[in-house]
Amino acid sequence: MTTSTVSKRSAAPKGGGRRKLTLPWIMLLVAGGLVLFSLVRAVSGANDLTSVGQVSGALQLAVPIGLAGLGGLWAERAGVVNIGLEGMMVLGTWFGAWAGYQWGPWVGVLFGLLGGALGGLLHAVITVTFNVNHIVSGVAINILAVGFTQYLSNFTFAEDGGSSKQSPRIEEITRITVPGLSDWLSDLQAKHWFLVSDLAGILGGLVTNLSLLTVVAVLLIPATWWVLWRTAFGLRLRSCGENPVAAESLGVNVYKYKYIAVTASGALAGLGGAFLAIVATGIYQEGQTGGRGYIGLAAMIFGNWMPGGMALGAGLFGFTDSLKLRGGAENVHALLLLVAVLLLLAAVWQLYKKKYVPGVIAAAFSAVFFLWYALTDEVPSQFVDAAPYITTLLVLALSAQRLRMPKADGLPYRKGQGK
């Protein structure tokens, strides 16, 4: 075997020869997905699928999921599993609402950050310092956060014009709409032209009735990528999640970086909770997180522990969640056709690669969804309500083979254990 042959084999991508998706390929896949979506919309007649209102609502629902996912990414890149995101979001909703109705929405946002950060700090103390199992700690924080906020609500909101389960109304954060452009895109979307109207609806939803806090949340995604992948600080933090013993041998204070990461994780989840209370609803309500912390964790896993992939996952879950708010039964019924086509494409691809068993299974499920779509006019309301959670399970199941978590994620670590 020649030296050149060895070098070529060593340079081959891991994981069965899979190559990393480049930006042109990603853009091509996005364009193909948009064409397919537009085709389904035109065939089914569900014109609200890509309307300005649908996209705007999906973005608002995706933001708290994305912030929770971003929080999970910070913690797990440092090697700490954060199941407690849901509890940290609960703390963010309560503290954000409590401060928001008294001193204004932006103060509420700050207190939501602080409330979530306290939950993250508690998780860091339990897991990093005392080396408790990360899952046990996260579940405990979720339970404690619910009980703690219920207790506080009894003698705060109930005495200030609210109730033990709901806060008084919070002042709204400024919303912006790009004048002229928003109206033009709305008119273009209303014409229901193939592809053009769908693109106009998507762009219109991004420039219409947009909260300033939504802008801040979206900007946190590229900011996280830059900090973690383009700075020395980010390199040290990620090294703690890949090989903390090696990081310590190079002079990295592993405990410090884990504390910073998990506290930041809680702060981001708390910001997501504050968004729910201040922007999405305008009030705190008991149980309003609705499992979004767990869905955010699923979005992070779907995105392969990367900010961009996590954002796509959050957008997908936010979109399916928004379907039940605007013509839910009709829109979800149209998605049956989309799922059928995607399964058919998957079957063709598997058969092309001579993987006959997965190909036949995908083809069979595709036929089932085609029949379901053809023989019904709408889906049961229960299915509409369950659509976000079904999507979460399906996406994680289909993407599981391509995932690569940080090598030391969730593993116990003691200072000096490599000596």
Side-chain angles (χ1 to χ4, degrees):
M1 185 178 293
T2 63
T3 305
S4 61
T5 305
V6 174
S7 61
K8 286 179 181 178
R9 290 191 176 183
S10 62
K14 297 179 181 180
R18 288 174 179 162
R19 297 179 181 275
K20 184 178 181 180
L21 286 176
T22 59
L23 182 60
W25 275 106
I26 293 173
M27 298 299 292
L28 186 62
L29 288 173
V30 170
L34 182 59
V35 170
L36 180 60
F37 211 85
S38 182
L39 180 63
V40 169
R41 192 266 307 164
V43 171
S44 66
N47 292 316
D48 200 43
L49 271 177
T50 54
S51 67
V52 171
Q54 181 76 59
V55 175
S56 179
L59 179 61
Q60 182 165 287
L61 289 168
V63 166
I65 295 173
L67 288 170
L70 210 56
L73 188 147
W74 271 81
E76 300 209 9
R77 278 294 175 180
V80 179
V81 175
N82 193 355
I83 295 293
L85 289 169
E86 178 75 7
M88 296 167 199
M89 284 191 80
V90 171
L91 293 173
T93 59
W94 193 92
F95 281 100
W98 175 73
Y101 83 85
Q102 297 185 86
W103 301 303
W106 287 109
V107 176
V109 169
L110 177 61
F111 270 75
L113 278 164
L114 292 174
L118 286 175
L121 182 61
L122 177 61
H123 188 50
V125 170
I126 296 172
T127 57
V128 178
T129 301
F130 294 103
N131 216 20
V132 174
N133 182 277
H134 299 187
I135 305 299
V136 173
S137 173
V139 171
I141 287 173
N142 290 338
I143 296 171
L144 286 172
V146 172
F148 182 62
T149 53
Q150 287 177 343
Y151 171 73
L152 291 178
S153 296
N154 287 326
F155 59 86
T156 51
F157 297 147
E159 296 178 359
D160 291 327
S163 68
S164 60
K165 298 182 182 294
Q166 181 174 306
S167 73
R169 176 66 56 177
I170 306 166
E171 183 184 345
E172 190 175 30
I173 289 178
T174 303
R175 292 178 178 267
I176 55 175
T177 296
V178 179
L181 180 60
S182 175
D183 294 333
W184 177 67
L185 290 171
S186 295
D187 293 339
L188 195 58
Q189 182 269 322
K191 296 182 185 298
H192 307 312
W193 291 340
F194 179 76
L195 192 59
V196 175
S197 292
D198 299 284
L199 187 58
I202 293 171
L203 295 176
L206 301 178
V207 297
T208 303
N209 198 30
L210 200 63
S211 169
L212 290 178
L213 188 55
T214 300
V215 178
V216 172
V218 171
L219 291 176
L220 285 172
I221 296 171
T224 291
W225 172 83
W226 184 81
V227 170
L228 294 185
W229 274 269
R230 287 295 182 269
T231 66
F233 167 83
L235 178 61
R236 296 188 187 102
L237 187 146
R238 287 185 293 116
S239 71
C240 297
E242 294 292 341
N243 194 330
V245 174
E248 184 184 14
S249 69
L250 295 173
V252 176
N253 188 333
V254 176
Y255 276 21
K256 182 183 79 171
Y257 280 91
K258 284 181 179 286
Y259 262 87
I260 291 172
V262 181
T263 304
S265 171
L268 287 165
L271 180 60
F275 184 94
L276 279 173
I278 298 171
V279 176
T281 59
I283 55 173
Y284 162 83
Q285 291 177 306
E286 186 177 304
Q288 73 186 128
T289 54
R292 287 176 176 85
Y294 300 113
I295 298 178
L297 197 63
M300 178 207 66
I301 296 171
F302 164 78
N304 208 13
W305 288 264
M306 295 293 290
M310 184 281 305
L312 288 176
L316 174 64
F317 301 138
F319 176 77
T320 54
D321 201 13
S322 70
L323 292 177
K324 62 186 179 184
L325 302 180
R326 296 176 58 91
E330 180 185 1
N331 289 337
V332 174
H333 183 255
L335 289 186
L336 295 178
L337 180 59
L338 177 64
V339 172
V341 174
L342 289 174
L343 285 171
L344 180 60
L345 293 175
V348 172
W349 177 249
Q350 293 294 340
L351 293 173
Y352 170 76
K353 295 195 299 181
K354 298 183 179 180
K355 295 182 178 180
Y356 298 111
V357 174
V360 170
I361 293 174
F365 275 101
S366 175
V368 170
F369 276 93
F370 270 121
L371 286 173
W372 189 359
Y373 173 78
L375 299 177
T376 59
D377 293 325
E378 61 180 29
V379 295
S381 59
Q382 295 87 348
F383 188 82
V384 176
D385 294 336
Y389 308 102
I390 295 174
T391 302
T392 303
L393 293 173
L394 287 176
V395 166
L396 288 178
L398 293 174
S399 63
Q401 294 180 350
R402 287 187 169 270
L403 300 180
R404 185 214 170 271
M405 65 189 297
K407 291 181 180 178
D409 192 17
L411 299 181
Y413 168 77
R414 286 288 186 189
K415 187 175 182 179
Q417 71 180 37
K419 295 179 181 180

